Amino acid sequence: MKSAFAVQKEKAQKSQLQLKIKLATPGKVSKAKNKDKKAGSRAKSEKITAASKAATKKKDSPKKSTPKSKKTSKKGKSVKKQSPKAKQSPKKNSKDGKKVDKKPSAKSNKASKPEKDAVKKESPTKAGKGSQTKKASPTKQSPKGGKSPSLTKSKSPKVTPKDTKQPTRKPRVKNQKKTPSPKVPAGKKSPSASVKSTPTSSSKKTSPSMRKKLAKEVTNKVELTPMSELRATKEASKDSMLVKITPLKPSQDSGSSTPSRKRKNSTPASKNSKKLKIKLTPRRTNPSPPKREESPRIVNSSTPQNGPLGKNGPSKGRDSGTESALLFEWLISPVSPQNFFDNLWEKKPLLVRRHKPQYFQGLFTTVEFNKILKENDVQYGKHLDVTTYTDGKRETHNPEGRAHAPVVWDYFNNGCSVRLLNPQTYSAKVWKLLSTLQEHFGSFCGANVYLTPGGTQGFAPHYDDIEAFILQLEGRKRWRLYSPRSDNEVLPRMSSENFTDEEIGVPILDTVLEEGDVLYFPRGYIHQATPPSDTHSLHLTVSTCQKNTWGDFMEKCLHGALQTAMEEDLNFRLSLPRDFLNFMGVVNSDLEEDRRTAFISKIGELFQKLASYAPIDVAADKVGMNLIHSSLPPVLTDEEMSCMVYTTNISFENGEFVSDANILSEETEIQLIRRGVLRLITQEDEIQVHHCVENSRVYHGKPCQFFVIPPESAPGVEFLIRQYPKFVRVDDLPLEGDLQGKEVELASLLFEKGLIRTRYPLHTDTEEER
């Protein structure tokens, strides 16, 4: 018959084989611990430890370390010599005072060899290299320090209920001469097989169901803890770091094929345990702009508003800048202009729902569109486009020649969108709107009209290089806006190509504009629009701020600064180092050398000097000259016309032309017709007066309009600019040099060019009639 120890050992082996490879080691520790507690092996007395070491050194260690120990076990000689020492050890180690059998039976001694062989077979996968694979039984594990090496290295959680009381011990090493703690002699029965200890939580026999439950707990702890650590690392570094996870090679000292898991908030694992190496690499990004709020501003309003202007232009003595500010306030009402420019301009979209279909009444209609096609030479491609966007493909269907109304409407009835470019060329009201707004923005204002049949789309998703205001004039249209895809696409200088739906992501705004509504979005915001199937859509897009940035200003400024610096500063004219190509350039960009550092420092010094030579005012005049060239001519009122050169009554009598207009005199009061109507530009040695009065309503339809005045007349023109909107007497114009006393000649020149007006109509004879 098999001994009780052999039966228990076979049961332990069966239960261990059913567990996972990862759980084999904790299971051994738990069984060894329970059996050691039954034998009273948890006592911490130094005398007991010394006695146990002595007994183990004489009898047990040769059996573990050399093949001779096996022969000795067969002969049974070591068993007889051990018996006196073994008799003392159980007595001293027993907590409950019970004695252990003094002489072991031969059966238990014979059973030790097959049990050792069974442990050896399990060791490559369960215990790992360096574990106690040559022990005769589970009791061969040290009661106090007999942890397997894999547990010690990986710091895995233990299965025993009181694992927190277990001290950390060094792993057993193969062929170790001295045992770290007392052991039960090989010839003796396991104390757990012959001695019944008091029932405690740590000494109770673990049932199969309990072992499964404990195994499940260990599995959860072992597998989930490292992932939580990695997630925490990623969350802490996701804004500015990249996480690169590199698994190290398995340790050569560890016989286990599975990596050791590190417990959360535990001490570092041993050097030989496999672990994950987390490398944090700074992400290379351009300096990001100020944080942008992507969510659009939505305002609902039903408050009635008056038209854009009470009159058709600024009243007498009123600043045109004030009129333009009132017009913009009407455009975005009820949002205040101050709030708009502080919180929305170039930052995020704005949607104003007015619930007032008549808000933009009369600004532009499909009836006017049809009239324009009939009465004007509208050319395909230049003034009008016919487009479609179906199945992700955008197409233009422009034939050659003039766009006749019947042909255009045939395209429209077949699902094509129609875009009218520069409607201010044909529509007086759109011209009035844009020419007034351009003074408020200090930048050219343009427009396009879009007429789209219901349920169709004419343009692919894209972003523009302008600040856009969408005015819904007729019908309804669904708009979808998308945030810029990257920092490089925030406020771009150029418009984008056409995108697909997969490239633009999820819209931040999906809304339907109705008549009277307005939608604003900055440049760089991707957009697409489609009217519902039950109605057409007519909207006007007002654009501004195209290439009107700090970068564009600096581009004009740096060119003049470099020219001036090279003329006036010797440092800019010195030769480059003879060998600078040996350490500069892309090939040498990673080179660390004093000559390279000195070269870069020299460039920095020159740039600092360059700023002092920057002709900032000259650059501003260049920007102003471009604005004057791009601007629309002012829309004049009847009252203004009566006080200008355009409405003087002229007749042909007796072979002569006779005018009923009073000639300008020194007492005549005059005023510029608009604040931004002209600008003085210095070109070489002459003074040029650039103006927009004679500009075309087509963008850059004419070359720059200017005339030259003597330098002595420039102070008089400057005086009119600074005094606006006040009326000034002609004789108050400050002239210099030989032109003093010729103020009437200067005023007449400006009057004939249509740049100034008089306070009263010129055809009246007396002040009372005025």
Side-chain angles (χ1 to χ4, degrees), residues 436-571:
T436 307
L437 286 176
Q438 71 188 8
E439 191 164 352
H440 184 67
F441 287 108
S443 174
F444 169 74
C445 290
N448 289 330
V449 169
Y450 296 84
L451 180 62
T452 309
T456 66
Q457 185 170 336
F459 296 88
H462 67 283
Y463 63 74
D464 295 315
D465 59 346
I466 47 91
E467 302 295 302
F469 294 86
I470 310 300
L471 283 60
Q472 189 66 30
L473 305 178
E474 293 179 5
R476 303 191 309 277
K477 201 165 194 178
R478 178 192 179 193
W479 283 84
R480 284 170 286 176
L481 300 186
Y482 307 81
S483 297
R485 301 179 302 171
S486 66
D487 290 343
N488 293 333
E489 294 182 357
V490 175
L491 304 179
R493 294 188 71 248
M494 303 295 292
S495 297
S496 73
E497 58 185 8
N498 294 330
F499 297 124
T500 62
D501 290 337
E502 291 76 16
E503 295 176 306
I504 57 180
V506 180
I508 61 169
L509 178 65
D510 190 339
T511 188
V512 175
L513 289 187
E514 299 184 356
E515 295 178 10
D517 294 346
V518 63
L519 173 65
Y520 158 79
F521 50 86
R523 55 193 186 275
Y525 274 79
I526 303 171
H527 53 277
Q528 59 179 328
T530 306
S533 58
D534 60 343
T535 181
H536 75 285
S537 171
L538 178 70
H539 80 266
L540 176 72
T541 298
V542 176
S543 61
T544 188
C545 201
Q546 184 180 42
K547 293 181 176 58
N548 190 46
T549 65
W550 283 101
D552 295 291
F553 184 87
M554 293 294 294
E555 187 177 14
K556 293 177 174 60
C557 192
L558 290 177
H559 179 69
L562 187 59
Q563 286 184 336
T564 305
M566 293 185 69
E567 292 175 359
E568 300 181 6
D569 195 328
L570 177 63
N571 291 290

Side-chain angles (χ1 to χ4, degrees), residues 649-702:
N649 296 323
I650 299 176
S651 61
F652 187 74
E653 299 177 2
N654 300 324
E656 295 180 355
F657 288 95
V658 180
S659 172
D660 62 351
N662 292 330
I663 299 175
L664 295 180
S665 64
E666 294 180 351
E667 294 81 12
T668 305
E669 294 180 276
I670 58 175
Q671 176 202 49
L672 288 178
I673 58 172
R674 296 289 185 274
R675 177 179 293 277
V677 72
L678 62 82
R679 190 169 190 90
L680 288 177
I681 303 295
T682 302
Q683 292 286 359
E684 297 179 354
D685 295 333
E686 64 182 18
I687 305 297
Q688 298 177 355
V689 179
H690 288 251
H691 62 90
C692 63
V693 172
E694 299 176 6
N695 279 4
S696 171
R697 288 161 65 177
V698 179
Y699 181 74
H700 286 181
K702 290 183 179 180

Side-chain angles (χ1 to χ4, degrees), residues 114-146:
E115 291 166 359
K116 288 190 292 181
D117 295 338
V119 174
K120 288 180 181 180
K121 293 178 181 180
E122 295 176 2
S123 62
T125 57
K126 294 185 177 182
K129 188 176 180 179
S131 62
Q132 301 175 9
T133 58
K134 295 186 178 182
K135 297 178 183 179
S137 67
T139 57
K140 281 289 185 178
Q141 296 178 350
S142 174
K144 289 187 178 181

Side-chain angles (χ1 to χ4, degrees), residues 244-488:
K244 184 182 294 184
I245 302 176
T246 307
L248 299 178
K249 295 182 179 180
S251 172
Q252 296 179 357
D253 295 337
S254 176
S256 176
S257 60
T258 57
S260 300
R261 308 279 184 174
K262 190 171 83 169
R263 200 175 190 177
K264 190 174 182 180
N265 299 327
S266 64
T267 57
S270 64
K271 296 180 180 179
N272 298 328
S273 62
K274 183 177 178 181
K275 58 184 178 180
L276 293 177
K277 182 180 179 181
I278 303 177
K279 184 178 180 181
L280 300 180
T281 306
R283 178 180 295 161
R284 295 180 180 179
T285 56
N286 295 328
S288 57
K291 292 184 178 180
R292 298 166 56 87
E293 298 182 18
E294 296 182 354
S295 57
R297 173 84 178 274
I298 301 176
V299 178
N300 291 278
S301 174
S302 58
T303 304
Q305 294 286 337
N306 296 326
L309 292 173
K311 299 181 180 180
N312 198 24
S315 58
K316 186 183 300 184
R318 191 168 184 176
D319 191 347
S320 59
T322 303
E323 297 294 336
S324 62
L326 292 175
L327 175 60
F328 180 70
E329 183 178 357
W330 167 82
L331 183 67
I332 63 170
S333 176
V335 180
S336 67
Q338 184 69 33
N339 182 18
F340 175 82
F341 286 108
D342 289 345
N343 304 313
L344 302 171
W345 176 251
E346 294 185 331
K347 296 182 180 67
K348 62 180 180 179
L350 167 68
L351 169 62
V352 178
R353 293 194 181 103
R354 291 199 172 93
H355 309 286
K356 187 178 181 184
Q358 308 302 321
Y359 198 85
F360 297 125
Q361 184 178 13
L363 183 58
F364 194 88
T365 63
T366 52
V367 174
E368 185 177 2
F369 200 159
N370 183 53
K371 184 179 179 181
I372 290 172
L373 294 176
K374 288 182 177 181
E375 298 178 356
N376 297 274
D377 184 16
V378 179
Q379 295 288 321
Y380 287 109
K382 183 178 180 181
H383 307 120
L384 185 139
D385 289 321
V386 178
T387 65
T388 57
Y389 178 72
T390 55
D391 299 329
K393 184 178 181 181
R394 193 254 199 208
E395 294 181 291
T396 302
H397 309 278
N398 289 339
E400 295 182 358
R402 178 176 173 176
H404 293 283
V407 180
V408 173
W409 301 139
D410 185 61
Y411 276 117
F412 178 82
N413 293 334
N414 284 277
C416 296
S417 294
V418 181
R419 175 174 63 180
L420 180 63
L421 306 173
N422 298 316
Q424 64 272 14
T425 306
Y426 315 102
S427 172
K429 292 183 179 179
V430 176
W431 171 25
K432 170 66 179 178
L433 175 73
L434 299 181
S435 64
T436 307
L437 286 176
Q438 71 188 8
E439 191 164 352
H440 184 67
F441 287 108
S443 174
F444 169 74
C445 290
N448 289 330
V449 169
Y450 296 84
L451 180 62
T452 309
T456 66
Q457 185 170 336
F459 296 88
H462 67 283
Y463 63 74
D464 295 315
D465 59 346
I466 47 91
E467 302 295 302
F469 294 86
I470 310 300
L471 283 60
Q472 189 66 30
L473 305 178
E474 293 179 5
R476 303 191 309 277
K477 201 165 194 178
R478 178 192 179 193
W479 283 84
R480 284 170 286 176
L481 300 186
Y482 307 81
S483 297
R485 301 179 302 171
S486 66
D487 290 343
N488 293 333

Side-chain angles (χ1 to χ4, degrees), residues 39-41 43 45 47-49 51-52 85-95 98 100:
S41 60
S45 172
K47 295 181 180 180
I48 297 174
T49 303
S52 300
K85 297 285 182 180
K87 187 186 301 182
Q88 296 176 4
S89 179
K91 288 182 180 180
K92 294 181 180 180
N93 292 339
S94 177
K95 293 181 180 181
K98 294 186 180 181
V100 184

